[in-house]
Amino acid sequence: MEPETDSVVCPQYELLLEDAVEGQLETARNDALAAHMKSCTNCRAAYEDALSSNRLLRLAEPTPDPGPAFTRMVMARIRTEAQVEERSLWRLLPNFARPFALTATLTLGLMLAYSAYWMPQLPSTETTVSTDARELLSDPGAPPSTPDETLMIMAENEHGK
Amino acid sequence: MADVPKNVAAAAPAVAIPLSRRGKAEEERDLVRRAQSGTESAFEELVRRHQQRVFALVNGILRQREDVEDVVQQVFLKVYVSIRKFDLRAAFSTWLYKITVNECWDYLRKKKVRPLVYEADMSEESVSRLDGIASSDRPPESPSDRAETNEMLRWMLEKLSDEDRRLLVLKEIEGFSVQELAHILDLNVNTVKVRLFRARGRLMDVYRRRLQHGSKGQASAAGSKEN
């Protein structure tokens, strides 16, 4: 590789020189550059070099179009990759399904075991309900419905004093 | 070798975009939209239209022909996968070239490719032939001459730094514009111009050095014959 060499052209004209090589200078800037190059041998030499390099480089052939066969090859590869991706998505499904099925079976088994072993040992709901019902049904604010109840209430009040 | 033309500047290119180009741009946007909605034939047409430029770009960066095809395929595969993300604000080609360049850098990083070095030097005959070709404006006519000229130019380009060579190859051989190169290489347009100008000079330094070396070799060969 060649060592990097600093540019020997006048820095303020470097951009103009490249534009001139490319033929992109409008008249005013073109005249200014032409006047400068009459007195500056470095810029003039660099400009000549750039033109010569262009002449050389334009002899090289650009990369040719790979043609329709390449287009077909690209499309075939895209289709193959798309199929592989699709297949890999379906392949993922059993991977997720297996742990899901295992977890579901275990949960169901635990629920059945729980209901088989723990449910009969719970207290009878019937007894509880009847006791609670009695407490709830005796309403202290309601008037006595029989003479016996009236006497019992009077006795309780006397005892309370 | 080169004469300075009397009038430095050629006619400035027209700035207005011709109607046909605008029509093509709109047609391309339509193709992109169709490709985004999953129309395979639209994507195929985009590949067909851009494959040469993508090939040229990858060639200009990698310089290893056997891998160029793989990288180009990989580029289009990436474009296919991510085309829905392209928002149509920029030109499709700009986006495509950006993906191409990134793919090339990835490739170089993964493979840790070492620069291709031409061990063989240019023969004296090749040097004088190249000098003849460079001083005349006529391109070589026979396929063998053209192949030889290409080979000689490649030899000269290999003597340059990666950056100089990339700029010269992409601009002068593959035909990318300064604006495109600025986009592709993430550089300012003026920076590209200045670097191009310097690269041209360095290419001619290589050429001149080889030419001097060649003439010295010829002189010493003639001297030894006389003795």
Side-chain angles (χ1 to χ4, degrees):
Chain A
M1 196 185 291
E2 290 298 309
E4 295 261 326
T5 50
D6 286 330
S7 175
V8 288
V9 301
C10 306
Q12 68 272 33
Y13 284 98
E14 211 168 13
L15 207 56
L16 287 187
L17 284 164
E18 176 59 21
D19 281 340
V21 171
E22 289 291 308
Q24 288 178 343
L25 269 189
E26 73 276 13
T27 319
R29 291 200 308 162
N30 180 60
D31 291 347
L33 182 64
H36 171 72
M37 280 203 290
K38 272 182 190 164
S39 58
C40 181
T41 47
N42 280 350
C43 285
R44 189 183 166 90
Y47 174 73
E48 283 177 17
D49 267 5
L51 285 181
S52 301
S53 78
N54 257 11
R55 220 171 282 153
L56 273 176
L57 288 166
R58 279 168 191 167
L59 295 172
E61 286 173 356
T63 307
D65 191 323
F70 183 77
T71 318
R72 284 195 293 273
M73 209 154 72
V74 169
M75 293 313 291
R77 186 167 167 192
I78 285 171
R79 275 178 216 121
T80 312
E81 297 271 340
Q83 277 172 1
V84 167
E85 199 152 310
E86 204 176 311
R87 249 182 263 146
S88 63
L89 275 174
W90 281 108
R91 239 179 253 152
L92 281 175
L93 199 64
N95 292 347
F96 281 115
R98 254 177 244 130
F100 179 77
L102 193 69
T103 316
T105 313
L106 273 172
T107 314
L108 198 66
L110 280 170
M111 282 169 73
L112 283 171
Y114 178 81
S115 64
Y117 290 103
W118 292 95
M119 294 299 263
Q121 289 175 26
L122 286 173
S124 162
T125 47
E126 213 175 287
T127 331
T128 319
V129 169
S130 63
T131 319
D132 292 346
R134 233 183 292 141
E135 278 171 10
L136 287 168
L137 287 171
S138 60
D139 183 6
S145 54
T146 57
D148 289 342
E149 270 186 21
T150 315
L151 285 169
M152 275 178 77
I153 290 166
M154 283 172 68
E156 271 176 18
N157 288 345
E158 285 296 313
H159 184 75
K161 279 177 187 175
Chain B
M1 190 173 64
D3 297 317
V4 183
K6 281 170 191 157
N7 186 10
V8 175
V15 178
I17 302 165
L19 268 174
S20 61
R21 222 173 106 190
R22 247 184 282 166
K24 272 186 185 172
E26 196 43 54
E27 194 189 346
E28 181 146 299
R29 288 166 80 85
D30 184 50
L31 273 176
V32 173
R33 275 190 213 104
R34 280 168 52 213
Q36 284 176 327
S37 63
T39 311
E40 207 184 275
S41 60
F43 188 79
E44 191 168 348
E45 179 59 22
L46 286 172
V47 174
R48 197 189 60 74
R49 285 184 183 196
H50 292 279
Q51 62 185 15
Q52 193 274 328
R53 299 283 275 170
V54 174
F55 242 93
L57 189 52
V58 176
N59 235 344
I61 297 173
L62 298 187
R63 299 169 295 125
Q64 289 186 314
R65 287 182 181 271
E66 64 271 23
D67 294 323
V68 167
E69 206 169 285
D70 272 355
V71 176
V72 176
Q73 282 192 24
Q74 196 60 34
V75 166
F76 282 117
L77 196 64
K78 281 205 170 161
V79 170
Y80 183 80
V81 169
S82 52
I83 196 158
R84 283 190 181 91
K85 290 179 197 160
F86 175 57
D87 59 8
L88 286 155
R89 273 186 293 182
F92 175 71
S93 58
T94 310
W95 183 67
L96 173 65
Y97 298 157
K98 208 87 192 146
I99 291 177
T100 307
V101 171
N102 288 341
E103 194 59 31
C104 289
W105 300 152
D106 275 359
Y107 172 86
L108 291 170
R109 205 169 33 241
K110 277 180 203 159
K111 295 256 173 176
K112 290 178 182 155
V113 180
R114 289 162 64 189
L116 200 69
V117 178
Y118 277 71
E119 295 296 341
D121 214 345
M122 275 166 94
S123 68
E124 314 304 336
E125 199 189 340
S126 300
V127 174
S128 57
R129 196 177 299 181
L130 187 62
D131 193 30
I133 291 166
S135 48
S136 80
D137 247 342
R138 281 183 302 118
E141 279 166 18
S142 74
S144 63
D145 277 356
R146 277 204 299 270
E148 199 183 355
T149 311
N150 266 317
E151 203 52 37
M152 285 188 281
L153 281 168
R154 278 183 72 184
W155 179 89
M156 283 169 61
L157 287 163
E158 288 305 327
K159 301 283 174 191
L160 298 176
S161 70
D162 275 351
E163 192 193 75
D164 282 355
R165 184 183 49 247
R166 201 174 291 140
L167 279 171
L168 289 175
V169 168
L170 293 176
K171 171 73 178 58
E172 297 307 334
I173 302 176
E174 304 297 357
F176 284 87
S177 69
V178 170
Q179 282 74 16
E180 280 177 321
L181 288 178
H183 272 299
I184 290 167
L185 303 170
D186 268 335
L187 294 170
N188 180 285
V189 170
N190 286 349
T191 308
V192 172
K193 284 182 181 179
V194 168
R195 287 187 186 179
L196 258 171
F197 189 76
R198 290 178 186 176
R200 292 181 207 280
R202 283 193 276 265
L203 180 73
M204 290 316 286
D205 284 346
V206 172
Y207 175 73
R208 255 193 304 270
R209 261 197 282 272
R210 191 60 201 89
L211 210 62
Q212 281 165 5
H213 184 259
S215 57
K216 272 181 200 166
Q218 275 177 338
S220 64
S224 63
K225 266 184 188 175
E226 278 171 17
N227 293 334

